[in-house]
């Protein structure tokens, strides 16, 4: 029994030696400097995105102790995206009136809640109106909140577009008066008053290396092929149009997800990031889930219109942070570059509320290539044949002892 227990213990040690993640399984490392507390923040440098997996599952923080042991620090990945929390604000319709300027709708907000957006719903599907919004505490003196704000709806075989949200700075009034400058009854079906609490995100601008514009007259399409200077994590693209006339063009934004080299050159495989409408009355900023990429393709459907003059394109990415917990003194490294790595499963993901609100940002050293031959804990057996021979021998020994014990009992 004693020999069997020893063999079982050896099997456990062997298993953990092979299953424990080692630093030499990764390609790159950067030293983390300035660790002074159990919790710190690490801001990922944009240079690493081209060397990680597409979903960042290969990020690890390894530490080398004074005894040359390898340990792993837990982290939580956070993206500093913009967050909007919408809260509906109750109100009452007081009256509807009309004069030569348009149709007026008066609302009363019984509480002292602020609002910063009205969402309007109309029976008509095609219109182009200007609206004015005023506020008052007593319905005697009115103050302008927004003036000549344009709302629009186009619905036909080629276009289905609406812009009917009136957005303005947070405002507290007891009464609001909405004027829709229309000669005919706008047939307002519903108004939704909201207060949008916006937590601004943190973004970084990415440099563009080259933009190639292709005008396809036959397909009535403008295509912009964009090469970024490096592979980065992108979450927002803004398109600035030089033309001052009105336009409403369907648009799709794609990125190169993979490529195949052929005798004729490279064939790129594109995936859709987002789609929408390029409009003269909006900011034309398109947001999507953070995606690691280097090449983009923007397709604008001109229909029967002349192509637009694109003045500039701004590409932005959300700042990525690691909230890291350190439990032992060691020299720690941000490690990455392993296509086979899976997402780590740390306890801290279930106790996010315990992470301190304010964390000191660590400095990150220069990138170093990891030497595969110089490891802190090398595997016991580099040749898999020896491993299988050992495992087979152990299984035979365990089987022999089992048979022997059964014979004794019988």
């Amino acid at each position: 029994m004693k020999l069997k227990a020893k063999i079982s213990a050896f099997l456990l040690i062997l298993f953990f030696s092979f299953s424990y993640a080692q630093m030499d399984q990764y390609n790159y490392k950067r030293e983390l400097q300035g660790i002074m507390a159990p919790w710190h923040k690490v801001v990922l440098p944009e240079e690493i995105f081209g060397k990680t997996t597409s979903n960042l599952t290969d990020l690890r923080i390894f530490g080398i102790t004074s005894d040359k042991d390898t340990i792993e620090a837990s982290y939580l990945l956070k993206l500093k995206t913009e967050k909007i929390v919408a809260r509906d604000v109750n109100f009452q319709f007081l009256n509807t009136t009309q004069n030569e300027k348009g149709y007026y709708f008066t609302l009363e907000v019984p509480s002292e809640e602020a609002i910063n957006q009205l969402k309007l719903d109309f029976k008509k599907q095609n219109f182009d109106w200007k609206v004015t919004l005023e506020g008052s505490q007593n319905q005697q003196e009115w103050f302008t909140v927004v003036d000549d704000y344009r709302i629009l709806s186009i619905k036909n075989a080629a276009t289905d577009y609406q812009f009917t949200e009136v957005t303005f700075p947070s405002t507290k009034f007891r009464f609001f008066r909405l004027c829709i400058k229309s000669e005919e009854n706008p047939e307002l079906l519903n108004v939704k008053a909201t207060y949008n609490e916006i937590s601004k995100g943190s973004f970084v601008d990415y440099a563009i290396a080259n933009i190639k514009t292709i005008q396809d007259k036959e397909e009535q399409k403008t295509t912009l092929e964009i090469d970024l200077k490096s592979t980065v994590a992108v979450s927002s693209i803004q398109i600035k149009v030089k033309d001052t006339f009105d336009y409403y063009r369907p648009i799709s934004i794609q990125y190169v997800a993979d490529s195949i080299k052929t005798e004729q050159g490279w064939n790129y495989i594109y995936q859709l990031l987002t789609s929408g409408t390029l409009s003269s009355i909006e900011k034309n900023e398109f947001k999507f889930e953070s995606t690691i990429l280097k090449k983009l393709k923007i397709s604008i459907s001109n229909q029967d219109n002349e192509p637009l003059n694109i003045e500039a394109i701004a590409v932005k990415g959300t700042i990525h942070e690691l909230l890291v917990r350190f439990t032992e003194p060691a020299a720690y490294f941000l490690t990455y570059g392993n296509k086979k790595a899976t997402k780590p499963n740390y306890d801290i993901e279930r106790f996010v509320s315990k992470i301190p609100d304010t964390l000191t940002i660590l400095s990150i050293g220069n990138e170093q290539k990891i030497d595969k031959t110089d490891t802190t804990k090398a595997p016991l057996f580099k040749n898999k044949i020896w491993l299988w021979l050992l495992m087979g021998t152990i299984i035979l020994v365990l089987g022999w002892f089992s048979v022997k014990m059964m014979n004794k009992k019988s």
Side-chain angles (χ1 to χ4, degrees), residues 98-312:
Q98 173 200 4
N99 60 22
E100 68 280 359
K101 293 183 178 179
Y103 288 77
Y104 292 83
F105 304 88
T106 305
L107 320 173
E108 179 183 8
V109 181
S111 63
E112 295 185 358
E113 292 185 84
I115 65 173
N116 53 20
Q117 188 178 76
L118 293 179
K119 297 181 180 179
L120 310 178
D121 185 21
F122 299 92
K123 185 177 181 180
K124 289 182 177 296
Q125 294 183 333
N126 289 280
F127 56 81
D128 187 353
W129 297 321
K130 296 286 185 69
V131 303
T132 296
L133 182 65
E134 298 174 303
S136 174
Q137 299 294 0
N138 52 21
Q139 295 196 78
Q140 301 298 318
E141 186 178 16
W142 292 92
F143 301 91
T144 301
V145 179
V146 291
D147 191 23
D148 281 343
Y149 191 101
R150 191 176 181 184
I151 58 175
L152 176 74
S153 178
I154 303 173
K155 188 165 186 178
N156 53 43
T159 305
D160 187 358
Y161 174 76
Q162 272 198 347
F163 182 74
T164 57
E165 297 178 353
V166 183
T167 305
F168 45 90
S170 298
T171 306
K172 283 186 180 181
F173 282 110
R174 177 74 182 273
F175 304 96
F176 287 91
R177 185 167 64 186
L178 177 70
C179 174
I180 300 177
K181 300 174 183 180
S182 169
E183 295 180 357
E184 56 182 342
N185 189 342
E187 298 183 83
L188 180 63
L189 298 177
N190 186 42
V191 178
K192 187 176 182 181
T194 60
Y195 174 73
N196 294 320
E197 186 175 353
I198 302 174
S199 300
K200 291 186 177 180
S202 297
F203 300 89
V204 58
D205 295 310
Y206 293 132
I208 294 176
N210 181 58
I211 300 178
K212 181 182 179 182
T213 303
I214 303 169
Q215 301 291 356
D216 190 329
K217 293 183 180 180
E218 186 175 339
E219 293 191 11
Q220 299 178 315
K221 183 174 68 174
T222 299
T223 301
L224 304 172
E225 295 181 351
I226 302 168
D227 294 317
L228 302 180
K229 284 192 174 180
S230 58
T231 302
V232 289
V234 178
S235 57
S236 170
I237 295 174
Q238 186 174 18
I239 302 171
K240 299 177 183 178
V241 179
K242 190 175 183 180
D243 301 300
T244 56
F245 54 77
D246 288 333
Y247 55 88
Y248 318 97
R249 312 282 174 92
I251 182 175
S252 67
I253 302 175
Q254 299 171 293
Y255 76 103
V256 173
D258 201 355
S259 59
I260 302 173
K261 190 174 184 180
T262 66
E263 294 180 357
Q264 290 75 31
W266 287 95
N267 286 338
Y268 297 111
I269 300 172
Y270 287 90
Q271 285 190 10
L272 183 68
L273 280 173
T274 187
S275 60
T277 303
L278 197 65
S279 167
S280 55
I281 62 174
E282 296 192 66
K283 292 182 179 179
N284 292 325
E285 185 175 7
F286 301 90
K287 299 177 182 179
F288 41 85
E289 185 177 350
S290 181
T291 305
I292 296 176
L293 57 88
K294 189 176 182 181
K295 294 178 71 71
L296 288 158
K297 182 167 71 175
I298 300 175
S299 301
I300 303 170
S301 176
N302 297 317
Q303 299 167 353
D304 294 322
N305 305 291
E306 59 184 290
L308 296 171
N309 292 306
I310 306 301
E311 185 176 23

Side-chain angles (χ1 to χ4, degrees), residues 69-83:
D69 290 329
T70 301
I71 57 176
E72 185 172 344
S74 304
Y75 70 82
L76 184 68
L77 174 63
K78 289 197 70 176
L79 277 63
K80 300 197 71 176
T81 56
E82 179 182 83
K83 295 181 180 179

Side-chain angles (χ1 to χ4, degrees), residues 30 32 40-46 48-49 80 319-324 334 360-364:
R30 290 171 179 259
L32 301 180
H40 281 285
K41 183 187 298 183
V42 176
V43 178
L44 297 183
E46 63 181 76
I48 78 167
F49 290 116
K80 300 197 71 176
I319 289 179
H320 291 56
E321 295 179 341
L322 302 182
L323 311 183
V324 191
L334 171 63
T360 305
I361 299 176
L362 295 179
S363 299
I364 303 179

Side-chain angles (χ1 to χ4, degrees), residues 376-406:
T376 304
K377 282 186 177 180
L380 293 176
F381 299 95
K382 294 184 179 180
N383 192 324
K384 290 185 178 180
I385 296 175
W386 287 106
L387 172 62
W388 288 113
L389 287 173
L390 176 65
M391 296 293 287
T393 303
I394 293 172
I395 291 170
L396 288 172
V397 172
L398 288 175
W400 181 78
F401 270 97
S402 298
V403 172
K404 189 176 179 181
M405 289 174 63
M406 290 173 65

